[in-house]
Amino acid sequence: MWTDEELSQRIDQTVEWLRTKVAEAKAEGVVVGISGGVDSAVVTGLCSQAFPGKCIGVIMPSHSDPEDVEDALWIAEGFEIRTLEVNLSGAHTQVMGQVKKGLESIGCNIVAEKMSQGNLKARLRMSTLYAVANAMNYLVVGTDNAPESYTGYFTKYGDGGVDLLPISSLTKTEVRAWARMLGLPMRIATRVPTAGLWPGQTDESELGITYDQIDRYLLGEEVPPEVRERIESLHRQSEHKRQMPPSFVLPKLERLD
């Protein structure tokens, strides 16, 4: 494990990295979406240190558990950052309703409605973050950690569509250690991870493995063969999420003299 001095040093390095990247972009500050979970709480803490007075937390419920909003507000107040709440429930219902109606009108059978609804939530949230960031000349800071980045457990052009990723090299265990150093309580650090994409949804139930197992795999430790195969399969299947979209380049036509 890490000493408090080592953790503090790594946090300071990350804070300085955030300042450098924002300065390079000639931006004024940062925007972060706060969900109430430990990842967004840690990123909020980092952003508040890097940009006191120039950090905005955006809370975006979408048919969400009221407790998520309460925790998000508590986190923002603890780090003394400004917040705004944009309720996306109505927008989500309207867009999804029109999509379903349109597909049915052209004779299409909807085969993955839950996934479509969940990913739409993530993409509406990211669009909202960029609306705020563009208005303020801020950058959007993402909250994906190392297990999520490696397995592709993020929505393409949703929570994966950001300007900066300060904790994407941290295991979940490290994120929780940073949470302690930043003064967050155990109830936030040990909260059941969920993206809030639908009622009862949890990260680990979707992944089919635990964060602890992914952490150990990423650290080069021994894991059961079925766990290793699951992680490697998720990594292969999600490779497209970590790459720019492929571009077709037409061959040059030879000139005929």
Side-chain angles (χ1 to χ4, degrees):
M1 291 298 289
W2 315 270
T3 66
D4 285 357
E5 183 179 353
E6 289 170 334
L7 291 172
S8 180
Q9 183 180 42
R10 296 189 72 187
I11 288 172
D12 290 344
Q13 290 171 338
T14 306
V15 167
E16 188 56 38
W17 178 82
L18 283 168
R19 291 176 180 147
T20 298
K21 288 302 177 183
V22 170
E24 288 175 353
K26 294 182 172 52
E28 302 294 328
V30 291
V31 174
V32 58
I34 311 178
S35 66
V38 66
D39 297 312
S40 72
V42 166
V43 171
T44 300
L46 296 172
C47 290
S48 70
Q49 288 189 25
F51 296 97
K54 291 188 176 181
C55 170
I56 295 178
V58 187
I59 303 168
M60 299 166 284
S62 181
H63 307 292
S64 303
D65 186 334
E67 186 177 324
D68 294 346
V69 176
E70 293 172 10
D71 284 344
L73 286 169
W74 186 90
I75 290 164
E77 289 169 5
F79 289 123
E80 298 182 341
I81 68 167
R82 293 172 294 171
T83 61
L84 61 104
E85 181 177 331
V86 182
N87 194 309
L88 299 174
S89 300
H92 182 268
T93 297
Q94 184 178 23
V95 172
M96 203 64 216
Q98 291 192 44
V99 167
K100 289 171 63 178
K101 184 177 179 180
L103 288 173
E104 289 166 358
S105 72
I106 58 174
C108 292
N109 294 321
I110 301 173
V111 296
E113 183 176 344
K114 183 183 285 188
M115 183 63 69
S116 179
Q117 290 198 15
N119 283 337
L120 176 60
K121 282 187 181 183
R123 290 172 178 136
L124 286 173
R125 287 168 179 159
M126 198 49 58
S127 294
T128 302
L129 289 176
Y130 271 100
V132 175
N134 292 164
M136 299 292 294
N137 189 31
Y138 283 8
L139 295 186
V140 174
V141 183
T143 64
D144 292 340
N145 55 46
E148 292 166 340
S149 296
Y150 191 83
T151 61
Y153 189 70
F154 56 88
T155 298
K156 194 173 186 178
Y157 308 124
D159 51 321
V162 296
D163 296 312
L164 302 172
L165 285 169
I167 66 169
S168 63
S169 65
L170 300 187
T171 64
K172 195 71 170 183
T173 304
E174 288 180 292
V175 172
R176 289 173 176 143
W178 284 34
R180 179 179 61 81
M181 288 297 298
L182 291 167
L184 291 160
M186 287 297 292
R187 70 180 183 86
I188 296 295
T190 60
R191 198 168 183 255
V192 175
T194 174
L197 300 180
W198 53 78
Q201 180 263 338
T202 67
D203 295 357
E204 292 181 338
S205 63
E206 270 201 281
L207 287 165
I209 44 180
T210 67
Y211 276 109
D212 180 63
Q213 290 171 323
I214 305 172
D215 282 357
R216 287 191 282 119
Y217 174 85
L218 293 177
L219 292 171
E221 298 176 10
E222 193 66 32
V223 296
E226 64 273 15
V227 171
R228 183 178 64 252
E229 176 52 36
R230 175 63 176 163
I231 294 171
E232 292 174 352
S233 175
L234 288 169
H235 183 71
R236 289 192 300 269
Q237 292 170 18
S238 61
E239 185 59 35
H240 66 98
K241 294 186 178 184
R242 292 178 292 273
Q243 304 293 333
M244 291 296 291
S247 298
F248 177 60
V249 179
L250 284 167
K252 291 183 179 180
L253 295 176
E254 293 185 9
R255 293 179 61 89
L256 297 177
D257 295 329

